[in-house]
Amino acid sequence: MRTYSLTVLLWGSMLHAIPMMLSQKRTNKHLHSERITGLSDNNGKTLHRTKRGWMWNQFFLLEEYTGPDTQYVGKLHTDQDKGDGNLKYILTGDGAGSLFIIDENTGDIHAAKKLDREEKSLYVLRAKAIDRKTGRQVEPESEFIIKIHDINDNEPKFTKDIYTASIPEMSGVGTSVIQVTATDADDANYGNSAKIVYSILQGQPYFSVDPETGIIKTALPDMSRENREQYQVVIQAKDMGGQMGGLSGTTTVNITLTDVNDNPPRFPQSTYQFSSPESAPPGTPLGRIKAYDPDVGENAETEYSISSGDGSDMFDIITDKDTQEGIITVKKQLDFENKMLYTLRVVATNTHPDSRFLQLGPFKDTALVKISVEDIDEPPVFSRTSYLIEVDEDVKEGSIIGQVVAQDPDITKNAIKYSVDRHTDLDRIFNIYSGNGSLFISKPLDREETPWYNITVIATEINNPKQSSQIPVFIQILDINDHAPEFAKYYETFVCENAKAGQLIQTVSAVDKDEPARGHKFFFELVPEFAIHPNFSIVDNKDNTAGIMTRRNGYSRSKTSTYLLPIIIFDNDYPIQSSTGTLTIRVCACDSRGNMQSCNAEALLLPAGLSTGALIAILLCILILLVLVVLFAALKRQRKKEPLIISKDDVRDNIVTYNDEGGGEEDTQAFDIGTLRNPEAREESKMRRDVIPDTIFQIRRTAPIWENIDVQDFIHRRLKENDSDPSAPPYDSLATYAYEGNDSIANSLSSLESLTTDGNQDYDYLSDWGPRFKKLADMYGGEESDRD
């Protein structure tokens, strides 16, 4: 073990410590003082060293001492110590008594524990010597330092356990990746304990590390991410300058190669096959193709397009941004019969090429796409999208007016039948030949009633009725001159009594239901019989109107109140149509200005402003009222003659009771006898419904005059009529007149006691008919009942 001692020289109040290397062995011997000569000051005077009061050893202790004995530090000694044990050495300061222990008799200092320089590298202690007897300090207290000498007991440590770094792929050799740093707790100023050297333990030959700075760099060119993306590099830091016996520490660096666009897209196959039914509507996707790019992110984004091929106008390709696939879609309607196979050349191109790698080749790829069209059973196709047919309105029934043509677009060319959609021809005016599509007329036409017809024709495959198509057929009815012109309206024309010759009294015009292509042209003239009318003339204005003119001065209502003027109206179409209209001209009294005042005798009696139309309306109202009155009377009379018994469940033995008949002949207030004698109050005789008549068409005649017949005879006659009247009560009914009035000379009117009865009738059989006829049996059965 190396030991160090300090010799303290006291010059005045200054204490200077000169370190001296002593022998390796520990010694307790007193070091004799030495005289120093040859020292002089600035004035050339010789200096003499004063007598030394303290003597002790100063030592640089080794840290982490592990020897069997305590580590010896040094010895305190004063020349006042005679060796008789009268002096006592005392040590104070950092670690005194705990870390450092002094022998108070000899002054030897030992370290009681292991010391760690990294915890504390310097200890400041103070020493003094005192006389045991007097307690007097024989030497002034002195301060000295104990330094802990470093040993290599700390390995280098990195600032991070794991480092993460990234670098673009294809980087050049020597490209810096990351710098790692390690620290050593040992003393960097003493020896090589803290001198660190970096080395790479794992990650070669891809990366290297600078031994002094710890910078990691690439060691191989053209490292590809697609081949290997992750690298784990282990870096070692070793102290003692990397020599044998040095301590070391390691760290892990995870290095990722980032992607660059150094790969073009590539189709995995050169040809693709797809198929599509010919009925696929535009926009239908047919399939997907994908050009694979090893790059990632935007470096792998690919755009697809059709560069050439016979189907470039029939198909399209779009790019799916999520999957980077190309989707083949239908662009136009396909037709198997027209073309069955299409060929496309599809190009896949990177959208973000990197100019550094363009020398590697074009960043695109091509593939061939073949699309076959599948045949399906299609409905018939008409030769046109719609049909327009023109037909004259006078065409005869059964005449063919046009034809529609459709055919099966499939290769099989199935037969087709035609029909008319009856929802568009409810009146069944048109019909069609199912075999050839010829349309013909089934009913007469009238342009003035319906000028246009819009019908739908259906074409259906005979072998497959589900396959059908329809087409609109517009039928225009052409006009022929089949209507004669007529007055445009009803004219109320008058002429003043004081009119002058040549005066215009009316302008007439005409209308025609026909519509000639050149427009209407009407001509007006008087009928031949009135070609030269003595009173009026007609002047054609050449504008489809005509003027009625007077031919003489003055007209008289008393002589002629109304003139009828027949006028012929011609048109100019072919064939020429004409009609005769009669113009009624009334003669009216007018004022000096020609304003009408009155026209005839009837008009003079009517209120002012009452026209002929108003008179007709009044007469109609009166006629309607009369008809209503007649109908009401007829209904009331029919109601009076309804039979008394109309139900089939009624029986003919009902008792009809007349509660009040009046007071007889002398009772003039109860009943008017004149009513009985009125022949018009009688009803016509009707056949009885409960007996078989003698003759079916028997006509009962009534007496023409009743006024001189006695009332008793009248009543007998009425009884006879009542017996034969089917609407009267049954012949076996008893009509009871409860009250006849005072002093009546008339006998009973009951049909049971009428003159037609030959004798009394036995009614005992009524008792056998049951309880329902008990009352009648009591009334008419037996002699007592008769007497009662």
Side-chain angles (χ1 to χ4, degrees):
M1 180 180 293
R2 293 182 297 176
T3 61
Y4 298 87
S5 64
L6 294 177
T7 300
V8 180
L9 302 179
L10 300 176
W11 294 320
S13 60
M14 299 293 294
L15 177 62
H16 300 277
I18 302 174
M20 298 178 61
M21 178 68 71
L22 300 180
S23 63
Q24 293 290 336
K25 296 182 180 180
R26 182 172 49 181
T27 177
N28 293 327
K29 294 183 179 180
H30 176 69
L31 297 180
H32 299 283
S33 62
E34 297 179 356
R35 183 178 297 275
I36 300 176
T37 59
L39 297 176
S40 61
D41 59 7
N42 295 333
N43 296 328
K45 296 180 181 181
T46 303
L47 298 177
H48 299 279
R49 185 180 60 184
T50 60
K51 186 178 180 179
R52 181 174 57 192
W54 281 97
M55 289 188 67
W56 67 84
N57 291 335
Q58 183 173 358
F59 190 74
F60 287 91
L61 291 179
L62 291 175
E63 63 173 337
E64 305 294 341
Y65 174 71
T66 59
D69 298 327
T70 58
Q71 187 177 5
Y72 182 72
V73 178
K75 184 180 180 63
L76 293 179
H77 185 74
T78 180
D79 55 2
Q80 299 292 330
D81 188 359
K82 303 300 184 180
D84 53 5
N86 290 330
L87 294 180
K88 179 181 179 181
Y89 294 98
I90 299 173
L91 183 65
T92 60
D94 294 337
S98 58
L99 294 179
F100 302 103
I101 301 173
I102 189 170
D103 189 339
E104 62 181 13
N105 294 321
T106 62
D108 291 328
I109 301 173
H110 292 81
K113 298 179 181 180
K114 290 192 300 182
L115 301 177
D116 189 357
R117 190 198 69 82
E118 284 72 35
E119 289 186 8
K120 192 172 179 66
S121 62
L122 181 67
Y123 295 90
V124 179
L125 299 172
R126 292 179 295 278
K128 61 182 177 179
I130 61 175
D131 192 331
R132 290 181 181 274
K133 296 179 180 180
T134 61
R136 182 179 59 82
Q137 185 172 327
V138 297
E139 291 287 351
E141 186 179 60
S142 296
E143 183 178 87
F144 65 95
I145 298 173
I146 297 177
K147 292 185 178 180
I148 307 303
H149 182 67
D150 181 45
I151 63 172
N152 190 17
D153 60 344
N154 290 280
E155 71 278 3
K157 294 184 178 180
F158 286 93
T159 57
K160 294 181 181 180
D161 293 335
I162 297 178
Y163 289 84
T164 302
S166 62
I167 185 174
E169 63 173 333
M170 308 300 290
S171 297
V173 177
T175 303
S176 296
V177 180
I178 193 174
Q179 183 178 16
V180 296
T181 303
T183 58
D184 196 327
D186 294 327
D187 190 359
N189 297 322
Y190 180 77
N192 294 326
S193 298
K195 186 176 181 181
I196 298 174
V197 174
Y198 299 95
S199 61
I200 184 169
L201 299 181
Q202 177 182 324
Q204 294 175 333
Y206 307 104
F207 300 95
S208 63
V209 63
D210 190 303
E212 294 183 358
T213 62
I215 297 176
I216 300 175
K217 301 178 180 179
T218 57
L220 283 181
D222 302 332
M223 286 191 296
S224 175
R225 183 198 65 82
E226 290 73 31
N227 294 333
R228 183 177 178 181
E229 184 176 5
Q230 299 288 339
Y231 294 87
Q232 192 175 70
V233 179
V234 178
I235 302 297
Q236 181 189 64
K238 190 174 184 180
D239 58 11
M240 297 299 292
Q243 299 177 3
M244 294 292 293
L247 301 178
S248 63
T250 60
T251 187
T252 301
V253 182
N254 293 325
I255 301 175
T256 302
L257 296 183
T258 59
D259 185 59
V260 297
N261 193 5
D262 59 338
N263 293 281
R266 289 289 181 264
F267 285 105
Q269 58 192 73
S270 60
T271 304
Y272 293 86
Q273 294 280 351
F274 296 103
S275 63
S276 172
E278 61 177 334
S279 61
T284 303
L286 303 180
R288 292 170 175 255
I289 60 174
K290 184 174 183 179
Y292 291 92
D293 191 336
D295 299 325
V296 295
E298 69 174 12
N299 295 325
E301 291 182 2
T302 305
E303 189 72 24
Y304 296 89
S305 61
I306 298 176
S307 62
S308 61
D310 55 2
S312 58
D313 58 339
M314 302 298 294
F315 302 93
D316 199 0
I317 185 169
I318 58 177
T319 304
D320 189 333
K321 298 298 182 182
D322 296 330
T323 62
Q324 298 301 315
E325 293 176 315
I327 305 174
I328 306 293
T329 61
V330 178
K331 188 176 182 180
K332 294 182 180 180
Q333 187 67 48
L334 302 175
D335 187 1
F336 173 83
E337 289 72 26
N338 186 25
K339 190 173 180 62
M340 295 181 290
L341 181 64
Y342 293 90
T343 302
L344 306 174
R345 185 167 296 278
V346 178
V347 179
T349 308
N350 272 152
T351 56
H352 302 283
D354 194 333
S355 58
R356 296 176 298 172
F357 306 103
L358 293 179
Q359 71 277 4
L360 299 179
F363 278 73
K364 60 183 179 180
D365 195 14
T366 60
L368 199 64
V369 178
K370 295 182 178 180
I371 302 175
S372 58
V373 182
E374 299 175 353
D375 185 28
I376 64 171
D377 190 5
E378 297 177 276
V381 177
F382 285 92
S383 60
R384 303 180 189 174
T385 57
S386 64
Y387 287 86
L388 173 62
I389 299 176
E390 296 179 346
V391 56
D392 293 331
E393 64 176 323
D394 62 344
V395 66
K396 295 181 180 180
E397 298 180 20
S399 300
I400 295 177
I401 61 174
Q403 185 182 19
V404 297
V405 177
Q407 62 179 358
D408 184 8
D410 301 320
I411 296 179
T412 56
K413 300 298 180 183
N414 292 326
I416 296 173
K417 66 177 181 178
Y418 302 89
S419 62
V420 176
D421 186 357
R422 290 307 173 187
H423 294 90
T424 60
D425 185 22
L426 298 176
D427 296 332
R428 296 182 174 270
I429 298 175
F430 302 95
N431 213 331
I432 191 170
Y433 290 106
S434 61
N436 58 10
S438 297
L439 285 165
F440 62 90
I441 299 296
S442 298
K443 292 183 180 181
L445 303 175
D446 186 358
R447 188 204 66 84
E448 287 70 32
E449 181 179 349
T450 306
W452 281 91
Y453 291 93
N454 300 330
I455 65 174
T456 300
V457 174
I458 302 173
T460 307
E461 290 185 11
I462 296 178
N463 295 335
N464 187 6
K466 293 182 179 180
Q467 295 296 336
S468 64
S469 58
Q470 56 186 20
I471 193 170
V473 178
F474 306 103
I475 302 174
Q476 182 181 12
I477 310 303
L478 300 180
D479 185 39
I480 63 170
N481 194 24
D482 58 344
H483 289 84
E486 57 187 13
F487 282 128
K489 63 179 182 178
Y490 175 77
Y491 294 99
E492 293 184 358
T493 306
F494 69 93
V495 61
C496 296
E497 288 182 315
N498 55 358
K500 303 296 183 180
Q503 183 176 342
L504 176 66
I505 62 172
Q506 182 69 59
T507 299
V508 295
S509 61
V511 292
D512 194 339
K513 294 181 180 180
D514 298 321
E515 292 183 1
R518 295 174 304 211
H520 290 292
K521 182 64 177 177
F522 303 122
F523 304 94
F524 302 87
E525 64 181 35
L526 296 177
V527 296
E529 293 80 0
F530 297 88
I532 302 177
H533 199 281
N535 298 305
F536 305 98
S537 63
I538 184 168
V539 178
D540 195 334
N541 297 327
K542 307 301 182 180
D543 59 354
N544 294 338
T545 65
I548 308 301
M549 313 292 293
T550 59
R551 294 194 63 183
R552 64 185 179 86
N553 296 327
Y555 296 85
S556 176
R557 282 187 296 168
S558 59
K559 294 181 179 180
T560 305
S561 62
T562 302
Y563 292 94
L564 299 179
L565 186 64
I567 299 174
I568 301 177
I569 309 173
F570 300 91
D571 59 19
N572 67 334
D573 206 354
Y574 180 82
I576 295 176
Q577 298 288 342
S578 64
S579 67
T580 301
T582 300
L583 188 65
T584 302
I585 304 174
R586 294 181 299 164
V587 179
C588 300
C590 302
D591 57 13
S592 58
R593 296 182 179 180
N595 298 322
M596 180 184 65
Q597 292 180 341
S598 62
C599 293
N600 47 41
E602 291 79 1
L604 294 175
L605 299 177
L606 293 175
L610 191 60
S611 62
T612 304
L615 289 175
I616 295 174
I618 293 173
L619 293 175
L620 287 176
C621 291
I622 294 173
L623 181 61
I624 292 172
L625 289 175
L626 291 175
V627 171
L628 291 176
V629 170
V630 172
L631 290 176
F632 180 78
L635 290 175
K636 188 173 181 182
R637 183 176 181 183
Q638 183 180 0
R639 190 179 305 168
K640 287 181 179 181
K641 292 189 178 183
E642 291 181 353
L644 296 179
I645 300 176
I646 59 175
S647 174
K648 66 181 180 179
D649 297 330
D650 291 341
V651 293
R652 293 296 178 171
D653 54 356
N654 294 330
I655 298 176
V656 181
T657 302
Y658 300 91
N659 292 328
D660 190 1
E661 234 183 12
E665 293 84 353
E666 297 181 1
D667 188 2
T668 58
Q669 295 180 353
F671 186 75
D672 185 7
I673 195 65
T675 303
L676 296 176
R677 296 183 176 182
N678 185 6
E680 304 196 351
R682 296 185 300 111
E683 295 180 357
E684 295 181 357
S685 175
K686 295 183 180 179
M687 301 301 295
R688 291 182 64 102
R689 292 175 293 178
D690 53 340
V691 296
I692 300 177
D694 295 337
T695 58
I696 297 178
F697 298 99
Q698 180 180 0
I699 300 176
R700 180 170 55 89
R701 308 230 177 231
T702 58
I705 300 175
W706 287 79
E707 293 182 359
N708 298 324
I709 297 178
D710 186 71
V711 174
Q712 184 176 3
D713 294 335
F714 167 73
I715 291 175
H716 287 310
R717 290 174 180 262
R718 294 292 287 174
L719 286 174
K720 291 181 180 180
E721 293 179 2
N722 189 56
D723 290 339
S724 59
D725 191 353
S727 62
Y731 63 91
D732 54 354
S733 298
L734 178 62
T736 303
Y737 300 90
Y739 177 70
E740 294 183 350
N742 297 326
D743 298 330
S744 176
I745 61 175
N747 295 325
S748 175
L749 297 179
S750 173
S751 61
L752 297 177
E753 298 180 1
S754 62
L755 295 179
T756 59
T757 303
D758 296 336
N760 293 332
Q761 186 175 351
D762 187 7
Y763 293 98
D764 293 337
Y765 63 89
L766 295 176
S767 300
D768 299 333
W769 286 11
R772 296 176 59 184
F773 297 91
K774 185 176 182 304
K775 184 66 176 177
L776 290 176
D778 294 340
M779 293 176 62
Y780 301 104
E783 298 178 355
E784 295 180 356
S785 298
D786 294 338
R787 286 195 297 268
D788 291 339

